[in-house]
Amino acid sequence: MKFVTFNPFRTIGIPGIQYVKPEHLFSEREKIDQADVCLFPENWQVNALVYGMKTPIFPSIQSIQLGFNKVEVTRALWSVCPGHVPYTQILGHSEDSIQKILQNFPFPFVAKEIRNSMGNGVFLIHNEEELREYAENNPTMYIQEYLEIDRDLRVCFVGDEVIASYWRINESNSFHNNVAKGGKISFENIPQEAIELVTETARALGIDHAGFDLVFANDQFYFLEFNTLFGNQGFQQLGISIEQKIYKYLQTKHSTM
């Protein structure tokens, strides 16, 4: 198979691959036309590749467009598993919105920037002053109930299956569990219920490459979000080559098309 990648760091070791800079999407059209699959396009490239050039892409268009920001993620999750999403409101920046938040969310609650990762842009709001400070910097306000947890579960779905899962444990009594913020990785006691929930949800949405973040609270699992581009710390510790998982999946998928 012939591949074009727009992100060489996520495709190291995949055979038959050529690198095209994203900004050369149109000037290197010949390479794209000859490729069986184009890997890891940026969001702005997807419509041209899929609808104009009729080029198969990986991750899927659903993975890229639904995973583009927290608003799209949440609306997608609402559509297939609303009972597994914490109470959330997505509002434009206005005084009416601020008053609505104050009426509907007890302190503390969580406020997020709609595009960020690795625990950045996530705030625990304790009072009206902190809410207004957040609102000043975010034209779209993403507000979510606070769930008392000391860990979250990262479940990595690639192709048509979960390939790795691990807890990210907060040992510093801070608000964030992310590995980038000092969370500890544990591969012990991964609940099968969570694996099945992620598998069902990913398949329902047409997602073939994402890291899903879940928490267990109130006797059930909740999705916090999913990210199309996720960290590889867990894979390194498990000795899993995600590039080889991708390659085998694409070989199988396109040999049957």
Side-chain angles (χ1 to χ4, degrees), residues 90-158:
I90 300 166
L91 302 162
H93 178 195
S94 70
E95 183 60 30
D96 286 345
S97 295
I98 290 174
Q99 293 304 317
K100 185 176 181 180
I101 293 167
L102 292 172
Q103 291 169 11
N104 290 294
F105 288 86
F107 294 112
F109 56 80
V110 178
K112 301 179 181 180
E113 297 175 354
I114 65 171
R115 288 204 69 197
N116 223 317
S117 61
M118 297 187 295
N120 297 316
V122 179
F123 311 99
L124 189 60
I125 304 297
H126 298 89
N127 52 53
E128 182 174 345
E129 181 182 357
E130 291 179 356
L131 171 60
R132 290 186 178 277
E133 182 180 353
Y134 161 81
E136 283 299 316
N137 296 299
N138 291 276
T140 300
M141 295 191 292
Y142 183 103
I143 308 298
Q144 197 165 72
E145 68 173 311
Y146 173 62
L147 300 173
E148 292 191 32
I149 56 170
D150 68 350
R151 67 190 62 199
D152 63 20
L153 182 65
R154 166 61 60 85
V155 181
C156 303
F157 191 89
V158 174

Side-chain angles (χ1 to χ4, degrees), residues 22 29 42 71 108 122 144 174 181 196 235-236 242 249:
R29 175 69 182 270
E42 297 180 3
V71 171
V122 179
Q144 197 165 72
S174 66
K181 296 288 186 179
E196 292 173 357
F235 297 109
Q236 291 174 349
I242 188 170
Y249 168 70

Side-chain angles (χ1 to χ4, degrees), residues 7-14 241 243-244:
N7 188 332
F9 300 107
R10 290 189 175 268
T11 52
I12 294 171
I14 294 179
S241 169
E243 295 86 0
Q244 289 305 307

